[in-house]
Amino acid sequence: MNSQTTTLGNGADLGHSRPMFNGFAHVWTPLVPARDLGRKPLSLTLAGERIALFRDAQGQPAALIDRCPHRGVALSLGHVAEDGCIECPFHGWRFDRTGANRHIPFNPQARRETLGATPLPVRQLGELIWIHTAPGTTAPVEPQPPEGLVAPGLRRTLIQRTWACHWTRAMENMLDSPHLPFVHRATIGKQARRRMTPTSTMEVTWEDTAFGGRTRAILDGDDKGGRLEFHRPNIMALHIPIPGRHLRIHALVIPVDQATTRLMVVASRDFAKLGLLEPIFARMNARIADEDRAVVESSQPSEVPPLGQEHSVATDRATREFRRYYYETLRPSAA
């Protein structure tokens, strides 16, 4: 996009002199738990762009860039009218889920068709609300979440954290198996730490898939059956092998800005579904995430550098593949 104003078909004035979602454009990403979006609008920042989320008259989620085209006020500070339109808190301009301007008080002669807000494609899938990072009411493809986030009959436990780092460091950490016996020596890395010796070797494999990639970490030739999946652009799914059972831990790594990342950890299971057990699973997921935080936040530079600018070894196979995707495909993107 150049520095000129761009107008969408419904009259939405982008009003940007810079690219939108720079480095994270044209992708579907989970943004927020659906339970967090009630009657009041929410304001959330995604890859440097402020988004106003609200529910229309049918209760469906809607998303607009959080900027009224009139005076630049945050639409999220307004309220949702009975007709499902969001009303700007400054002068009462109303916008529907497509960004179309439905009312301008005191100005019946105004050309409302040229005075719209900027919409974003949005979906509610399972317990999450997803956003497509490009303006418009439709996206060229639909989101393809991992099975554990949407499959019926599963119990899902969700926790959220905010880390002071670039999102790529957090995403890379989630795909890195060799750190488990060290950072998570008392939790999910305990068994590997017990098995490893000073002469142990780890083979990290990588398989390209339609959704991203699949990686395994095999310690001393013993494959226990666990695997990590990378679902582009920002989801890790850890498959924990339990015969005849479903147990997954998903890390949803959401860029806020250059120095801030929101992390959602979602565990899905088909057993131990009683609500009384939820706090136990939540505490365990939180403990594991919190073990990573200080290490990831300390990484310099904050953004992962290109391949070749940091030393890598054979066990960095999965993280090298992520860096290749990031620098070749995602980082150059803009809407």
Side-chain angles (χ1 to χ4, degrees), residues 8 12-16 18-21 42-54 62-69 72-76 86 95-99 116-121 131-136 335:
L8 300 182
D13 178 8
L14 299 184
H16 281 263
R18 57 174 177 78
M20 297 177 66
F21 301 111
L42 286 180
S43 180
L44 293 161
T45 301
L46 174 63
E49 299 294 338
R50 218 169 53 186
I51 298 171
L53 281 180
F54 62 100
L64 305 176
I65 292 295
D66 198 5
R67 176 186 179 275
C68 180
V73 169
L75 293 172
S76 59
I86 190 169
F95 307 94
D96 68 15
R97 62 175 299 112
T98 71
T118 304
L120 297 170
I131 292 288
H132 189 259
T133 54

Side-chain angles (χ1 to χ4, degrees), residues 175-176 204-206 215 314-323:
L175 299 173
D176 183 279
V204 175
T205 68
W206 178 269
T215 180
T315 50
D316 295 318
R317 176 69 188 277
T319 55
R320 291 202 313 267
E321 293 294 339
F322 169 70
R323 290 190 185 193

Side-chain angles (χ1 to χ4, degrees), residues 3 123 203 256 324:
S3 60
R123 302 285 186 273
E203 179 189 4
V256 177
R324 182 175 290 110

Side-chain angles (χ1 to χ4, degrees), residues 199-246:
T199 59
S200 285
T201 61
M202 179 179 287
E203 179 189 4
V204 175
T205 68
W206 178 269
E207 173 192 356
D208 288 325
T209 65
F211 54 77
R214 183 179 295 113
T215 180
R216 296 178 185 270
I218 303 170
L219 180 60
D220 292 329
D222 186 9
D223 186 353
K224 295 294 186 182
R227 68 182 187 271
L228 290 175
E229 290 179 349
F230 172 51
H231 293 255
R232 292 188 296 258
N234 60 337
I235 296 176
M236 179 279 288
L238 168 61
H239 292 238
I240 300 175
I242 301 178
R245 294 295 189 184
H246 170 107

Side-chain angles (χ1 to χ4, degrees), residues 81-163:
E82 291 184 2
D83 61 0
C85 292
I86 190 169
E87 184 178 284
C88 176
F90 200 5
H91 295 97
W93 290 26
R94 287 189 181 182
F95 307 94
D96 68 15
R97 62 175 299 112
T98 71
N101 191 317
R102 296 302 183 187
H103 182 60
I104 299 179
F106 314 123
N107 291 271
Q109 77 286 357
R111 295 182 58 201
R112 290 185 289 107
E113 66 275 10
T114 67
L115 299 172
T118 304
L120 297 170
V122 58
R123 302 285 186 273
Q124 181 170 328
L125 299 173
E127 288 99 39
L128 298 170
I129 292 176
W130 295 64
I131 292 288
H132 189 259
T133 54
T137 56
T138 61
V141 296
E142 289 297 304
Q144 299 292 328
E147 173 197 17
L149 296 182
V150 293
L154 299 178
R155 182 82 182 197
R156 283 177 275 268
T157 304
L158 184 151
I159 64 134
Q160 298 187 75
R161 290 292 187 267
T162 300
W163 288 359

Side-chain angles (χ1 to χ4, degrees), residues 295-312:
V295 173
V296 174
E297 289 184 341
S298 74
S299 300
Q300 293 295 326
S302 181
E303 179 186 30
V304 298
L307 291 169
Q309 290 191 15
E310 279 187 337
H311 298 296
S312 295

